[in-house]
């Protein structure tokens, strides 16, 4: 018995929701970055599922590129967190409001 | 049967671990939960006949990216910092966020169940993929049809490296 | 027509334009870093080479038969829009050749003179840049083969005139004189551009050759359109050539350096209007009314400016009014149909007026900047070369044979009599009398009599350096012999220029063979009469300024009112101020204080204030908490998905 592909999508949806909630409730910039990774992974799962459903490789290729972007995003994001911490000694996103007028 | 069992077990582990990522106070635990989430996800990829993606998931995500995270956590020594942040100034944020989260989940569920899995089928049936080999197929596509995005991706990574370098360097001045 | 070099020199015409432009670019961009002498050499060499090429072009043109003396070189289509095309092209014909010879020849001498005159000035390179740019624009003006390109040159010389009048811009009077020249010229240019538009509407082209060839098809003699076009063109000419009613800028333009006055405000630019009228003679012939207007304005200006010149004390201002007066002569000639004579006088005038200006510059230079003739006198001994050349120039302008001015002025008077009427002749003759008088008054007050100089000025009086004197001598030679070109018997210039005005029909025909139509008796009696007039003027001046120096004051005392009016230049400047300038300023103040500040600014500020108020309120949404923004984003995302759900 094979699993209906819809289940995978539901699973992807729940993963995405958890990630989104993580971004919203946490104040630690690092954890927010991790939550973003969760959301990206949820999207990847959806892509692979679609790839399987439509019997095409495009979805998997897309996942490959998303991973590239995620790696780049993690690198830059973490560099920003490090720079931020060195300057303001905090990674609480609520304290990062100097752009507010 | 084994497939279903694997799906249920890995799905459960993944959801629980994702919850752990979000709700753990200590970021190092969050990171470890995230690694587990990604590994479970890799298993699901295998179930979906995407072996290459599964391997890359483990190597790039669970390996490289997460090492970066853990390294930064260690570097900044912020494992206890959440408690020091004090009380949340946005009082209703948590409630609203969870409410919106549930709403989002509901909407995604409706969309999924209602309409998504339709459309024409492509040429790569599971049999054909296993005949050629998943990795070989991905490689061939990357270097033929997707060569241009592939090159762009390399530029993106290069730019990200330089950006990260400069940002980190600036921070060291203080 | 090929020559020894295998091809025609006419093809080189582009270089006549290019060289001064190149000089201006090099001096303008690198002049500050270059040695001053190098700057001067660049400035002179480019014009000198342009002159040489002009001479070659002239020689080549002479080898062609008179009917074929028209060479057009088209470079590229400048504007092409629908039926409208303007081609950037040059036209070489006898008229433009005469003009480029005058412009580059006199221009070269004045450039050489400037090296000495401007020596040690701070903006040396700026001066030569402007001067070269001016030469370029002037050449473009005379070489253009269509009205629009001519207008570019026309505006270019206006710009350079403005820049050079205000060359010593730190002096308030100089900068405002520059502005005045520019603004007054705008009035004329407005007429010119309207004329160009009208020409395009009527002829559907702005090309000279096409317009003039198709004139009989498109215009009937005396039609309203012909009159409108020519009057508008003439309005442009009055602005550029300082005629009534737009002459007021020229006397003020004397604030510029003297060589500039010589080049721009005597020899070349101010005669552009005359050139333009002559160029368009075919059109002017179509409108007898316009011709009458031209003649009346020209004659009136000749006399009017001459009367003002009688009492001015600034040496350069006298010359300025004399220029206005002489250009009036040229227009008088044009107005009665003597287009060739006008060009002839233009040429001789360029020689002797440039000479007079440069001579006065030499005097001013020697006296350390003094321009008031009441503080000169007795300079004959101290500046012998300047005196001799200046005397030749004065004799030439006064119309004493055999100097250049005699032939051209005599011919104008003859034309005015034979083709016009006695009134025109009377205007011209009386102006000639006044000219002879005030020019010799200038000469006597400056060079003769007792010295009225300040002691310390007198001690430093010195003859100018050689590079200033040589141009004077060359110009003096030209002023002395230049008139023989138009000797009635030989009449070289008449037959040379005849093809240009020949296309126009009857008047051109008369012009070409004028010598045959006028009886010898009349001609010689006219010559005698005009010489007599000049001699009377000179004698009067001699009587009043050498013999009895107390006479002028007595006469001024007798005719107090007239003297005062003349001294204040008929109060024209004041009248213009009261009727045009001040109302304009006042209404501008009104527009500024009320319309601009209150209404327009009020509206703009009101909009800004409204936005500000709204922003103050909307600002509250920007909490500064990233998580709030993220929440909004998520909310927006959900809304979009729901919308998609229901819509798809």
């Amino acid at each position: 018995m094979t699993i209906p592909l819809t289940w995978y999508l539901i699973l992807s949806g729940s993963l995405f929701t958890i990630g989104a909630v993580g971004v919203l409730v946490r104040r630690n910039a690092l954890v927010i970055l991790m939550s973003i990774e969760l959301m990206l992974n949820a999207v990847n799962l959806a892509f692979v599922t679609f790839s399987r459903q439509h019997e095409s490789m495009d979805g998997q290729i897309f996942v490959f590129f998303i991973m590239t972007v995620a790696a780049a995003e993690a690198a830059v994001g973490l560099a920003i967190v490090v720079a931020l911490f060195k300057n303001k000694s905090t990674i609480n996103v609520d304290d990062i409001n100097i752009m507010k007028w | 049967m084994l497939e279903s069992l694997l799906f249920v077990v890995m799905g459960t582990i993944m959801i629980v671990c994702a919850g752990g990522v979000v709700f753990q106070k200590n970021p190092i635990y969050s990171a470890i939960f995230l690694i587990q989430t990604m590994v479970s996800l890799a298993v699901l990829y295998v179930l979906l006949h995407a072996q290459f993606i599964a391997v890359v998931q483990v190597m790039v995500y669970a390996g490289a990216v997460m090492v970066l995270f853990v390294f930064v956590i260690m570097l900044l020594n912020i494992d206890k910092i959440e408690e020091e942040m004090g009380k949340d100034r946005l009082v209703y944020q948590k409630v609203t966020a969870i409410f919106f989260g549930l709403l989002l989940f509901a909407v995604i569920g409706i969309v999924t169940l209602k309409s998504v899995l339709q459309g024409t089928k492509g040429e790569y049936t599971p049999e054909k993929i296993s005949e050629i080999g998943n990795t070989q197929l991905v490689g061939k596509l990357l270097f033929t049809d997707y060569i241009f995005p592939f090159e762009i991706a390399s530029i993106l990574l290069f730019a990200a490296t330089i950006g990260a370098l400069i940002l980190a360097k600036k921070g060291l001045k203080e | 027509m090929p020559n020894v070099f295998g091809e025609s020199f006419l093809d080189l015409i582009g270089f006549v334009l290019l060289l001064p432009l190149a000089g201006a670019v090099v001096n303008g961009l690198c002049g500050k870093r270059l040695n001053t002498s190098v700057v001067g050499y660049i400035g002179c060499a480019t014009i000198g080479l342009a002159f040489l090429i002009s001479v070659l072009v002239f020689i080549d043109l002479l080898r062609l038969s008179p009917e074929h003396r028209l060479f057009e070189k088209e470079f590229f289509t400048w504007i092409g829009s629908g039926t409208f095309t303007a081609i950037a092209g040059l036209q070489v014909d006898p008229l433009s050749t005469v003009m480029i010879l005058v412009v580059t020849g006199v221009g070269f001498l004045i450039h050489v003179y400037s090296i000495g005159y401007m020596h040690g000035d701070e903006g040396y390179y700026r001066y030569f840049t402007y001067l070269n740019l001016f030469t370029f624009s002037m050449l473009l003006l005379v070489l253009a083969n269509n009205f629009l390109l001519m207008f570019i040159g026309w505006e270019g010389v206006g710009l350079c005139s403005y820049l050079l009048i205000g060359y010593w811009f730190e002096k308030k009077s100089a900068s405002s004189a520059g502005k005045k020249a520019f603004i007054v010229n705008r009035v004329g240019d407005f007429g010119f551009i309207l004329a160009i538009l009208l020409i395009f509407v009527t002829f559907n082209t702005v090309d000279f050759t096409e317009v003039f060839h198709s004139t009989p098809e498109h215009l009937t003699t005396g039609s309203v359109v012909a009159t409108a076009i020519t009057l508008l063109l003439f309005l442009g000419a009055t602005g550029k050539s300082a005629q009534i009613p737009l002459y007021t800028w020229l006397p003020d333009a004397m604030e510029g350096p003297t060589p500039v006055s010589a080049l721009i405000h005597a020899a070349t630019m101010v005669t552009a209007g005359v050139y333009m009228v002559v160029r368009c003679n075919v059109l002017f012939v179509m409108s007898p009314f316009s011709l009458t207007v031209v003649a009346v304005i020209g004659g009136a200006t000749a006399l009017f400016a001459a009367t003002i010149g009688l009492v001015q004390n600034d040496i350069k201002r006298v010359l300025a009014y004399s220029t206005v007066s002489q250009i009036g002569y040229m227009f008088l000639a044009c107005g009665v149909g003597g287009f060739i004579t006008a060009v002839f006088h233009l040429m001789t005038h360029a020689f002797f007026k440039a000479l007079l200006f440069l001579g006065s510059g030499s005097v001013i230079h020697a006296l350390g900047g003094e321009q008031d003739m009441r503080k000169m006198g007795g300079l004959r001994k101290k500046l012998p070369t300047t005196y001799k050349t200046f005397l030749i120039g004065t004799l030439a302008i006064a119309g004493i044979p055999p100097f250049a001015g005699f032939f051209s002025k005599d011919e104008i008077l003859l034309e005015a009599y034979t083709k016009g009427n006695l009134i025109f002749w009377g205007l011209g003759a009386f102006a000639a009398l006044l000219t002879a008088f005030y020019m010799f008054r200038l000469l006597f007050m400056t060079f003769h009599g007792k010295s009225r100089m300040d002691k310390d000025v007198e001690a430093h009086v010195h003859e100018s350096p050689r590079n200033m004197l040589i141009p004077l001598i060359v110009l003096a030679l030209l002023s002395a012999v230049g008139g023989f070109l138009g000797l009635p018997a030989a009449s070289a210039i008449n037959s040379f220029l005849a093809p240009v005005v020949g296309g126009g029909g009857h008047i051109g025909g008369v012009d070409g063979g004028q010598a045959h139509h006028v009886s010898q008796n009349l001609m010689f009696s006219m010559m005698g009469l005009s010489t007599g007039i000049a001699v009377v003027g000179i004698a009067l001046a001699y009587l009043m300024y050498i013999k009895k120096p107390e006479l002028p004051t007595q006469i001024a005392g007798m005719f107090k009112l007239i003297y005062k009016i003349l001294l204040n230049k008929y109060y024209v400047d004041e009248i213009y101020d009261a009727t045009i300038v001040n109302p304009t300023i006042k209404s501008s103040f009104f527009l500024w204080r009320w319309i601009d500040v209150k209404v327009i600014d009020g509206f703009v500020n009101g909009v800004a204030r409204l936005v500000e108020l709204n922003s103050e309120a909307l600002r509250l949404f920007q909490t500064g908490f990233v998580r709030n923004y993220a929440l909004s984003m998520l909310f927006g995302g959900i809304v979009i998905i729901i919308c998609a759900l229901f819509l798809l």
Side-chain angles (χ1 to χ4, degrees):
Chain A
M1 182 194 135
T2 48
I3 311 291
L5 291 173
T6 318
W7 289 26
Y8 284 98
L9 290 180
I10 298 290
L11 194 63
S12 157
S14 31
L15 194 57
F16 187 87
T17 308
I18 293 169
V21 170
V23 170
L24 293 177
V25 298
R26 296 300 298 263
R27 286 176 287 166
N28 189 328
L30 271 169
V31 180
I32 288 179
L33 278 179
M34 288 187 217
S35 301
I36 292 172
E37 296 295 337
L38 274 183
M39 289 157 83
L40 284 166
N41 272 300
V43 172
N44 282 355
L45 180 56
F47 265 117
V48 175
T49 312
F50 286 134
S51 166
R52 177 99 175 84
Q53 165 68 23
H54 291 126
E55 294 178 350
S56 132
M57 290 300 286
D58 297 354
Q60 293 188 27
I61 303 289
F62 222 105
V63 168
F64 179 81
F65 287 122
I66 291 176
M67 282 183 180
T68 318
V69 173
E73 175 249 298
V76 176
L78 287 172
I80 291 173
V81 168
V82 170
L84 186 73
F85 188 74
K86 300 249 160 161
N87 279 322
K88 298 193 76 173
S89 305
T90 178
I91 50 168
N92 184 351
V93 290
D94 286 356
D95 293 341
I96 310 166
N97 57 2
I98 48 167
M99 294 281 273
K100 182 196 170 195
W101 181 67
Chain B
M1 196 57 213
L2 182 67
E3 207 188 327
S4 314
L5 193 70
L6 261 179
F7 175 79
V8 172
V9 171
M10 283 303 152
T12 318
I13 292 176
M14 198 181 75
I15 296 297
V16 169
C17 289
V21 172
V22 174
F23 293 110
Q24 269 297 325
K25 287 257 179 285
N26 192 333
I28 198 86
Y29 292 161
S30 293
I32 287 165
F33 275 119
L34 187 55
I35 294 172
Q36 182 50 50
T37 312
M38 285 166 173
V39 172
S40 316
L41 206 53
V43 176
L44 291 179
Y45 289 157
V46 175
L47 287 185
L48 286 168
H49 296 265
Q51 293 89 344
F52 176 70
I53 297 296
V55 171
V56 173
Q57 172 84 3
V58 172
M59 284 191 348
V60 174
Y61 256 134
V65 174
M66 288 320 294
V67 164
L68 207 59
F69 268 99
V70 173
F71 180 75
V72 170
I73 294 166
M74 301 286 192
L75 177 76
L76 301 185
N77 195 20
I78 45 172
D79 51 341
K80 291 270 161 39
I81 215 151
E82 193 93 0
E83 282 97 69
E84 291 160 20
M85 285 179 186
K87 214 165 167 284
D88 196 342
R89 270 170 290 177
L90 300 170
V91 187
Y92 299 109
Q93 180 78 11
K94 234 170 219 168
V95 185
T96 336
I98 290 172
F99 171 71
F100 274 132
L102 290 175
L103 191 62
L104 179 69
F105 183 62
V107 170
I108 290 174
I110 293 167
V111 173
T112 312
L113 292 174
K114 198 180 164 197
S115 56
V116 168
L117 287 179
Q118 300 161 346
T120 52
K121 304 250 173 181
E123 51 175 325
Y124 297 106
T125 55
E127 292 74 37
K128 201 178 171 193
I129 293 173
S130 40
E131 192 187 306
I132 303 171
N134 178 269
T135 310
Q136 196 182 346
L137 203 53
V138 171
K140 200 187 111 201
L141 281 173
L142 270 183
F143 288 104
T144 53
D145 293 358
Y146 292 91
I147 182 72
F148 188 62
F150 185 71
E151 293 296 334
I152 300 275
S154 71
I155 294 171
L156 175 75
L157 283 174
F158 184 56
T161 315
I162 293 172
L165 214 92
I166 286 170
L167 279 168
K169 210 177 169 188
K170 244 185 199 164
L172 286 174
K173 254 187 192 172
E174 294 290 309
Chain C
M1 174 167 286
N3 56 26
V4 281
F5 292 98
E7 55 180 314
S8 170
F9 285 122
L10 292 172
D11 275 321
L12 292 177
I13 191 68
F15 286 97
V16 176
L17 270 183
L18 207 59
L19 281 165
L21 183 65
V25 168
V26 170
N27 273 346
L29 294 181
C30 335
K32 208 164 190 173
R33 264 158 276 146
L34 290 176
N35 196 334
T36 48
S37 57
V38 176
V39 170
Y41 287 136
I42 291 174
C44 294
T46 51
I47 309 295
L49 279 174
F51 176 64
L52 281 181
I53 296 173
S54 305
V55 171
L56 293 175
V57 166
F58 173 66
I59 292 170
D60 253 20
L61 201 68
L62 273 185
R63 287 156 34 135
L64 296 172
S65 63
E67 308 86 69
H68 295 106
R69 283 178 188 163
L70 172 66
F71 173 78
E72 285 194 57
K73 190 170 176 72
E74 292 182 352
F75 293 102
F76 55 90
T77 304
W78 173 33
I79 300 172
S81 164
T83 56
F84 179 81
T85 46
I87 287 168
L90 302 182
Q91 173 177 355
V92 182
D93 67 354
L95 179 58
S96 55
T97 312
V98 169
M99 289 302 288
I100 60 172
L101 283 175
V102 170
V103 171
T104 53
V106 176
F108 174 64
L109 293 172
I110 290 171
H111 272 75
V112 172
Y113 180 90
S114 298
I115 291 180
Y117 191 83
M118 298 305 286
H119 185 76
D121 194 273
E122 257 175 58
Y124 199 72
Y125 77 96
R126 196 158 55 87
Y127 175 84
F128 275 98
T129 306
Y130 294 162
L131 219 54
N132 275 19
L133 189 63
F134 167 79
T135 314
F136 164 74
S137 308
M138 190 67 204
L139 290 169
L140 185 65
L141 197 168
V142 297
L143 282 173
N145 74 342
N146 62 62
F147 280 101
L148 216 55
L149 198 60
M150 184 189 188
F151 187 70
I152 298 297
W154 188 271
E155 290 299 309
V157 291
L159 169 71
C160 295
S161 160
Y162 161 75
L163 290 171
L164 283 165
I165 294 169
Y167 174 72
W168 287 308
F169 55 82
E170 63 274 17
K171 228 165 70 182
K172 179 88 175 71
S173 59
S175 63
S176 47
K179 275 186 279 180
K180 184 173 177 183
F182 204 65
I183 292 166
V184 173
N185 264 305
R186 288 278 76 66
V187 180
D189 295 349
F190 181 64
F192 190 19
I193 204 160
L194 280 183
I196 294 174
L197 292 175
L198 204 52
I199 285 168
F200 176 67
V201 170
T202 316
F203 294 91
N204 215 24
T205 175
V206 290
D207 187 85
F208 284 146
T209 323
E210 290 172 29
V211 168
F212 298 145
H213 277 290
S214 61
T215 300
E217 299 157 34
H218 289 100
L219 291 178
T220 49
T221 307
S223 65
V224 178
V225 181
T227 309
I229 289 176
T230 46
L231 281 183
L232 286 170
L233 282 176
F234 183 60
L235 178 62
T238 55
K240 192 68 63 197
S241 293
Q243 297 297 293
I244 292 173
L246 300 176
Y247 72 92
T248 51
W249 65 270
L250 187 58
D252 286 13
M254 297 301 126
E255 291 288 347
T258 309
V260 170
S261 308
L263 178 62
I264 300 185
H265 306 119
T268 55
M269 186 193 84
V270 289
T271 56
V274 180
Y275 165 78
M276 189 253 272
V277 171
V278 174
R279 173 61 79 199
C280 305
N281 65 78
V282 181
L283 298 175
F284 275 89
V285 166
M286 298 308 274
S287 172
F289 176 72
S290 300
L291 278 180
T292 315
V293 170
V294 173
V296 168
I297 296 272
T301 310
L303 188 62
F304 182 79
T307 53
I308 300 176
L310 291 178
V311 297
Q312 297 300 313
N313 289 317
D314 185 319
I315 183 166
K316 281 182 73 183
R317 270 175 193 268
V318 175
L319 289 174
Y321 281 108
S322 139
T323 305
V324 175
S325 169
Q326 295 300 312
I327 296 166
Y329 267 110
M330 296 173 208
F331 280 113
L332 178 63
C334 290
V336 297
F339 295 107
I340 291 176
T341 317
V343 176
F344 180 36
H345 193 58
L346 188 162
M347 191 183 75
T348 55
H349 175 252
F351 295 151
F352 61 68
K353 191 49 70 67
L355 167 63
L356 289 171
F357 263 113
L358 295 185
S360 75
S362 177
V363 171
I364 294 165
H365 193 68
L367 299 186
E370 183 59 63
Q371 301 194 7
D372 194 332
M373 290 191 295
R374 285 168 296 190
K375 291 187 179 164
M376 295 179 185
L379 286 169
R380 184 165 46 141
K381 293 271 155 50
K382 294 197 163 134
L383 308 171
T385 318
T386 306
Y387 171 69
K388 280 174 208 149
T389 52
F390 205 91
L391 181 64
I392 292 173
T394 315
L395 288 170
I397 194 175
I400 298 294
F403 298 102
F406 164 73
F407 292 100
S408 54
K409 197 184 278 187
D410 177 59
E411 211 166 309
I412 289 175
L413 291 177
L414 189 67
E415 301 252 355
Y417 181 70
T418 53
K419 293 181 193 163
N421 53 40
L422 213 56
I423 299 175
F424 289 151
W425 181 84
L427 280 175
F430 190 49
L433 175 72
L434 296 180
T435 306
F437 175 77
Y438 69 69
M439 283 313 297
F440 272 88
R441 168 176 174 267
L442 175 84
L443 185 78
F444 292 147
M445 278 179 86
T446 309
F447 291 101
H448 292 260
K450 282 202 198 78
S451 166
R452 297 179 296 278
M453 288 175 283
D454 296 334
K455 279 280 170 293
D456 48 338
V457 172
E458 192 168 0
H460 290 103
V461 169
H462 56 89
E463 183 63 292
S464 301
R466 200 168 338 141
N467 53 9
M468 285 168 71
L469 291 179
I470 288 171
L472 283 179
I473 293 165
V474 175
L475 282 170
L477 280 176
L478 286 171
S479 303
V481 301
F484 290 106
L485 276 174
L487 206 64
S491 199
I493 191 158
N494 265 0
S495 49
F496 181 60
L497 283 174
V500 180
V501 295
H506 52 287
I507 294 207
V510 172
D511 225 308
Q514 169 214 24
H516 308 290
H517 287 257
V518 182
S519 71
Q520 298 278 321
N521 279 342
L522 180 64
M523 214 163 69
F524 284 117
S525 53
M526 283 302 257
M527 277 184 177
L529 196 56
S530 51
T531 312
I533 289 169
V535 170
V536 169
I538 295 168
L540 269 176
Y542 182 75
L543 179 71
M544 282 172 70
Y545 291 95
I546 301 280
K547 277 279 172 208
K548 297 180 176 166
E550 70 283 353
L551 249 181
T553 4
Q554 285 171 9
I555 295 175
M558 274 157 66
F559 303 98
K560 246 190 193 129
L561 186 67
I562 296 176
Y563 179 74
K564 209 172 161 202
I565 289 174
L566 288 181
L567 196 62
N568 287 297
K569 310 151 213 161
Y570 292 100
Y571 295 98
V572 171
D573 276 326
E574 284 75 6
I575 292 168
Y576 281 175
D577 273 350
T579 55
I580 298 170
V581 179
N582 281 337
T584 310
I585 290 175
K586 276 200 186 111
S587 57
S588 305
F589 263 94
F590 170 76
L591 288 174
W592 165 39
R593 293 244 164 90
W594 292 97
I595 306 293
D596 199 58
V597 172
K598 292 267 156 77
V599 179
I600 296 175
D601 285 5
F603 184 72
V604 174
N605 288 341
V607 170
R609 186 92 197 103
L610 201 69
V611 172
E612 193 190 346
L613 281 173
N614 285 322
S615 311
E616 287 281 340
L618 287 172
R619 182 165 79 91
L620 300 175
F621 286 100
Q622 304 285 322
T623 54
F625 292 109
V626 182
R627 292 184 298 153
N628 269 346
Y629 303 159
L631 200 63
S632 320
M633 248 170 84
L634 181 60
F635 179 68
I638 292 169
V639 169
I640 289 172
I641 297 174
I642 290 174
C643 287
L645 256 183
F646 284 107
L647 290 177
L648 296 178

